[in-house]
Amino acid sequence: MTETTDHPSPQRAAAERGPYRVVIVDDHAMFRTGVRAEIGRSVAVVGEAADAEHAITVILQTQPDVVLLDVHLPGGGGVEVIRKVHEKNPDQKFLALSVSDAAEDVIGVIRAGARGYVTKSISGTELIDAIRRVAEGDAVFSPRLAGFVLDAFSGSIDLATVDEDLDRLSQREREVLRLIARGYAYKEVAKELFISIKTVETHVSSVLRKLQLSNRHQLTRWATDRRLV
Amino acid sequence: MTATDSSQLEPDLHHSETGSAQPASADGQSTAASDATSDSGQPAATSPASSAGAADSGQQTALPVSGAALRASVARAVPEDRAVPEETERPRATRVAEGAWLGGVCTGLARHLGWPLIAVRVAFVALATFQFIGVIAYGALWLLLPPESTVKAPGLESASRAGMRDESRPKRRVDWGMLLALIALGVGLLWIMQNTGLGISSQLFWPVAFACAGAALVWRQADSERQKRWRDEAGGKAWLAPFVARGGWPSLVRVIVGLGLVGAAFGIVLAQRGEISHLPEVMAMTMLALAGVAIVLAPWLHRSRTALNQARAERVRADARADMAAHLHDSVLQTLAMIQRQADDPRAVQQLARRQERELRNWLYGDELHEATLKAALTAAAAEVEDERGVPVELVTVGDCDTSEAIQALVRAAREAMVNAAKHSGADKIDVYAEVDDESVEVFVRDRGKGFDVETVAEDRLGVKGSIIDRMARHGGSATIRSAPGDGTEVRLELKR
């Protein structure tokens, strides 16, 4: 995302609001070390964990701004961590991180309550930017996640059965998502649609909420079925 | 035939077992053999109580009689001259978990002897009705035949096959609980046959069969998936598990049906005899047999079935693991080697890593793409560009459709746009987005490179004109290019369906 051009020095951006406190949860020590080295200067890594049980304890203890959470994790996966932590602290923010691009992983962890999803190949600056975004309460949508959501909410589902607003994307939300899927950063989306970045963020957060709250079971089934096609 | 086989087997096997207690073990299994020696040969060293306890709860402490010795003797027990000439190597006599009804003995023997499976089974059943010889033989073989060779890491397995490593045989555990159970079973059955006179057991066969089935049903409990929890609840005593542990209503039903069967056994006996006066004798006999069978058999049954289930699961996993090993060898290992060779060229290394990542990711998590769809075609095109040009291509698709001539043209145009972006834009990433809905197919190819002035450049750039704009027009579609110096480029391809 060229969003980083907004903040040529992420250190400065972080310094303005104080460094965000981050917990890294991943079962690969090598990956934790790597991420720590990459983002450690811009954010304060206050804890690490390698499995779900340990992660829950660490997160509840340290109450970080953002948890970088691996989707595949011994002890129930990232979804389990989010669920257990949200029982005690519903405001805890999670940014999911995975090598997997599988639809059910992505949709599953978002529906469990993560505020964003990025793949592990993300660059350090992009990751810092994503952390900042999540910490500020916004959602982080990668092009792939946007594509999944568009697919999941696409017209293939009979509109007559869609009675709730939650089960439908507004025209504007769809436009925003399409641009994100095309590789546009939030800033570029705003420029393209002649709206403010804040409005883009509002739309994305609204999509995230729909994704999480829509109890339309087609959504999960869509993610599962997709593997079989 | 089976009778002779097994009767040949038994003494031989028992012999070899006692033989393993002798210190000199010639087959290199010195650790296993000496373990067995210390347990059987020096009972004074460990107190009987502790070893009994170990047998009850024990996974690791079960007596490790040398599997090599046992297997060797089994192989010896079958005369060599019966070997079928055309077969290069006859499979070892093992218990085969796959497709087993009981212990996998028949399956294993059938495979070993090259007989039809049904023939072996019928032989055993026929022998069973004849003074229980079949049952005893089956039990002995169940006890003594090693389970089918355990699964090794696929790499090791292939190395072993290729003779690249020393083949060390897996240890096999035999515990005295099993032996005692069998002895009790055999003695009990013989005793019953003798007591009923002339060894004619048909009158008692069904009662005993009922009783055994009942007991088995009760103990079968110890073999469900929750057995570990049950065992914990029973304080590590497997034989207590069915009674102590909470198993829910299915287990209750099992216990009731099981006890009912045992009761039925008594009923049959009484009905056959028609004499109440015999009740105490019959009761005593059956009770003794049952007590012997049930109590002594339980931990063994429990363990052997656990092992059986594990073997079954292992088997399923083995194939998957072998596939994985082959895959890793073909892909990751080769890539790593190439990366080391080209360590001086960061671009090549990145390209290799990227290609490998894509390939591995696709293999691990990827959707299976049908051959002839837009998505598959675009994925292939993106991968090609990525490999040729070394620029990552991020492809996102929403919806999909079958390819047609027009769709193929669309894909070729998209590929050309990707190549252009990779070649000229200088961007470090290309985003490709395809969306299929009811009316149209749209593909966007976007880069954040240096861009160009569309008005001046597009016309005379053959790649753009010929292979993108004109191609789309020929197939009833359209291509629009948005670009400005410093702003990157986006090519939009559209096709009405």
Side-chain angles (χ1 to χ4, degrees):
Chain A
M1 307 204 172
T2 50
E3 201 53 42
T4 49
T5 51
D6 267 355
H7 307 278
S9 121
Q11 286 92 330
R12 202 186 57 203
E16 283 163 13
R17 299 175 181 84
Y20 291 115
R21 302 169 71 248
V22 172
V23 165
I24 304 172
V25 181
D26 195 299
D27 52 334
H28 299 98
M30 209 162 85
F31 182 79
R32 290 201 306 270
T33 316
V35 168
R36 203 181 187 129
E38 265 188 328
I39 67 172
R41 272 194 220 144
S42 312
V43 301
V45 178
V46 294
E48 286 183 19
D51 60 62
E53 198 186 337
H54 188 207
I56 294 162
T57 327
V58 171
I59 293 165
L60 288 174
Q61 249 168 28
T62 55
Q63 308 245 328
D65 293 309
V66 177
V67 178
L68 286 185
L69 183 66
D70 190 9
V71 173
H72 298 145
L73 205 61
V79 172
E80 176 77 4
V81 175
I82 297 177
R83 234 177 250 138
K84 286 273 164 60
V85 170
H86 276 176
E87 276 173 21
K88 300 241 171 68
N89 177 13
D91 295 329
Q92 182 62 59
K93 300 193 184 83
F94 289 93
L95 173 58
L97 210 69
S98 174
V99 291
S100 156
D101 267 343
E104 67 259 50
D105 285 348
V106 182
I107 299 289
V109 78
I110 291 286
R111 275 177 73 81
R115 294 205 56 85
Y117 186 100
V118 291
T119 41
K120 280 186 176 176
S121 50
I122 191 172
S123 74
T125 42
E126 283 175 324
L127 184 56
I128 291 163
D129 193 56
I131 290 170
R132 177 185 63 78
R133 211 172 269 294
V134 168
E136 286 168 9
D138 293 321
V140 172
F141 270 42
S142 66
R144 190 163 295 269
L145 175 52
F148 283 153
V149 176
L150 280 173
D151 218 353
F153 281 91
S154 73
S156 58
I157 295 163
D158 184 12
L159 276 181
T161 64
V162 180
D163 46 8
E164 276 191 79
D165 252 5
L166 277 177
D167 295 343
R168 214 182 335 213
L169 297 180
S170 75
Q171 191 56 37
R172 208 51 160 172
E173 286 162 355
R174 200 175 286 274
E175 283 171 26
V176 169
L177 280 186
R178 285 187 79 207
L179 286 171
I180 292 173
R182 275 156 68 178
Y184 283 59
Y186 286 12
K187 189 189 68 168
E188 294 165 316
V189 173
K191 196 175 148 201
E192 180 79 15
L193 298 177
F194 304 107
I195 54 180
S196 71
I197 294 187
K198 201 64 224 164
T199 314
V200 174
E201 284 169 351
T202 313
H203 282 312
V204 173
S205 293
S206 154
V207 172
L208 184 83
R209 198 177 60 92
K210 289 183 182 180
L211 194 55
Q212 286 172 348
L213 295 184
S214 167
N215 50 15
R216 191 171 67 176
H217 66 276
Q218 280 99 321
L219 205 53
T220 32
R221 219 181 51 197
W222 167 85
T224 322
D225 286 354
R226 227 174 143 278
R227 293 299 297 273
L228 307 174
V229 174
Chain B
M1 289 303 263
T2 322
T4 49
D5 271 352
S6 40
S7 54
Q8 280 172 358
L9 278 177
E10 274 174 66
D12 194 359
L13 287 170
H14 286 296
H15 170 72
S16 83
E17 213 172 296
T18 47
S20 76
Q22 281 153 22
S25 138
D27 62 0
Q29 288 279 324
S30 49
T31 12
S34 64
D35 276 357
T37 309
S38 66
D39 262 286
S40 56
Q42 305 167 342
T46 49
S47 76
S50 74
S51 65
D56 267 349
S57 62
Q59 315 294 331
Q60 298 88 1
T61 38
L63 294 173
V65 170
S66 160
L70 285 178
R71 271 205 295 198
S73 58
V74 170
R76 241 184 286 125
V78 179
E80 292 296 331
D81 58 357
R82 214 182 289 163
V84 189
E86 62 262 32
E87 275 177 354
T88 46
E89 196 185 347
R90 156 183 297 192
R92 244 172 231 289
T94 53
R95 287 191 287 116
V96 178
E98 221 171 277
W101 283 359
L102 203 53
V105 170
C106 288
T107 320
L109 273 187
R111 196 180 284 184
H112 176 68
L113 298 171
W115 294 0
L117 174 57
I118 190 70
V120 180
R121 279 183 177 151
V122 166
F124 267 102
V125 171
L127 282 169
T129 55
F130 180 65
Q131 302 217 346
F132 295 104
I133 286 174
V135 175
I136 295 165
Y138 192 97
L141 286 173
W142 190 348
L143 176 67
L144 296 169
L145 285 186
E148 208 174 7
S149 63
T150 48
V151 179
K152 281 174 292 193
L156 295 183
E157 208 155 58
S158 69
S160 298
R161 251 202 314 279
M164 292 192 289
R165 63 191 285 275
D166 183 29
E167 173 75 327
S168 60
R169 283 156 178 171
K171 289 181 189 178
R172 188 169 130 66
R173 301 194 313 244
V174 173
D175 59 80
W176 298 118
M178 285 165 68
L179 269 181
L180 279 174
L182 275 171
I183 291 165
L185 183 64
V187 170
L189 287 172
L190 282 172
W191 186 63
I192 288 172
M193 286 190 293
Q194 292 310 316
N195 271 280
T196 47
L198 310 171
I200 296 168
S201 53
S202 63
Q203 268 191 337
L204 266 180
F205 177 78
W206 289 112
V208 171
F210 269 124
C212 287
L217 210 52
V218 173
W219 292 110
R220 167 79 177 70
Q221 304 251 43
D223 188 43
S224 98
E225 9 177 84
R226 276 167 291 177
Q227 56 185 326
K228 191 178 178 304
R229 185 165 63 78
W230 289 352
R231 198 166 55 227
D232 292 343
E233 284 174 19
K237 302 239 183 311
W239 57 274
L240 271 178
F243 296 121
V244 181
R246 304 179 302 248
W249 63 268
S251 62
L252 197 68
V253 167
R254 265 190 231 147
V255 171
I256 289 170
V257 172
L259 293 178
L261 278 173
V262 176
F266 279 102
I268 291 175
V269 171
L270 290 184
Q272 280 173 348
R273 300 241 144 204
E275 295 172 35
I276 293 299
S277 58
H278 284 278
L279 185 61
E281 291 166 38
V282 178
M283 281 273 264
M285 282 193 294
T286 320
M287 285 298 278
L288 269 173
L290 270 185
V293 170
I295 292 174
V296 190
L297 212 58
W300 163 67
L301 188 68
H302 167 77
R303 250 193 305 276
S304 85
R305 287 202 60 98
T306 307
L308 208 63
N309 285 352
Q310 277 169 356
R312 214 168 273 166
E314 278 296 317
R315 186 91 207 142
V316 175
R317 280 197 292 265
D319 293 346
R321 244 187 272 167
D323 286 353
M324 200 176 295
H327 187 97
L328 289 178
H329 179 265
D330 292 345
S331 60
V332 180
L333 218 50
Q334 310 299 329
T335 302
L336 286 176
M338 280 161 75
I339 282 179
Q340 286 174 51
R341 210 170 298 155
Q342 304 189 33
D344 299 333
D345 183 353
R347 194 171 173 80
V349 169
Q350 199 179 11
Q351 201 170 330
L352 282 168
R354 171 82 189 171
R355 180 200 299 199
Q356 186 55 62
E357 186 202 332
R358 185 186 65 229
E359 191 268 341
L360 205 56
R361 185 201 298 281
N362 190 51
W363 181 62
L364 285 173
Y365 309 109
D367 300 321
E368 255 178 54
L369 295 176
H370 291 295
E371 284 302 306
T373 66
L374 172 67
K375 187 178 178 183
L378 275 177
T379 307
E384 276 171 32
V385 174
E386 212 173 83
D387 289 345
E388 281 170 22
R389 301 284 159 192
V391 182
V393 180
E394 287 285 337
L395 173 69
V396 175
T397 56
V398 172
D400 204 355
C401 62
D402 289 341
T403 51
S404 61
E405 204 177 318
I407 293 285
Q408 278 167 8
L410 175 77
V411 171
R412 276 195 291 272
R415 187 184 189 283
E416 194 58 36
M418 290 182 231
V419 170
N420 275 340
K423 239 197 238 173
H424 305 297
S425 76
D428 56 2
K429 193 177 92 174
I430 301 167
D431 285 294
V432 179
Y433 173 68
E435 185 172 350
V436 181
D437 61 26
D438 295 339
E439 284 109 43
S440 64
V441 181
E442 277 180 298
V443 177
F444 296 85
V445 179
R446 181 186 150 83
D447 68 72
R448 286 211 190 79
K450 44 183 182 262
F452 60 93
D453 190 343
V454 183
E455 297 297 315
T456 57
V457 184
E459 284 306 311
D460 48 290
R461 209 182 253 175
L462 186 70
V464 173
K465 182 88 177 97
S467 49
I468 299 180
I469 298 177
D470 288 354
R471 178 177 276 155
M472 289 306 293
R474 271 202 304 278
H475 289 91
S478 65
T480 43
I481 296 165
R482 278 175 50 179
S483 185
D487 246 14
T489 307
E490 185 171 55
V491 178
R492 173 176 175 275
L493 309 168
E494 192 187 7
L495 199 66
K496 296 281 174 221
R497 293 187 79 185

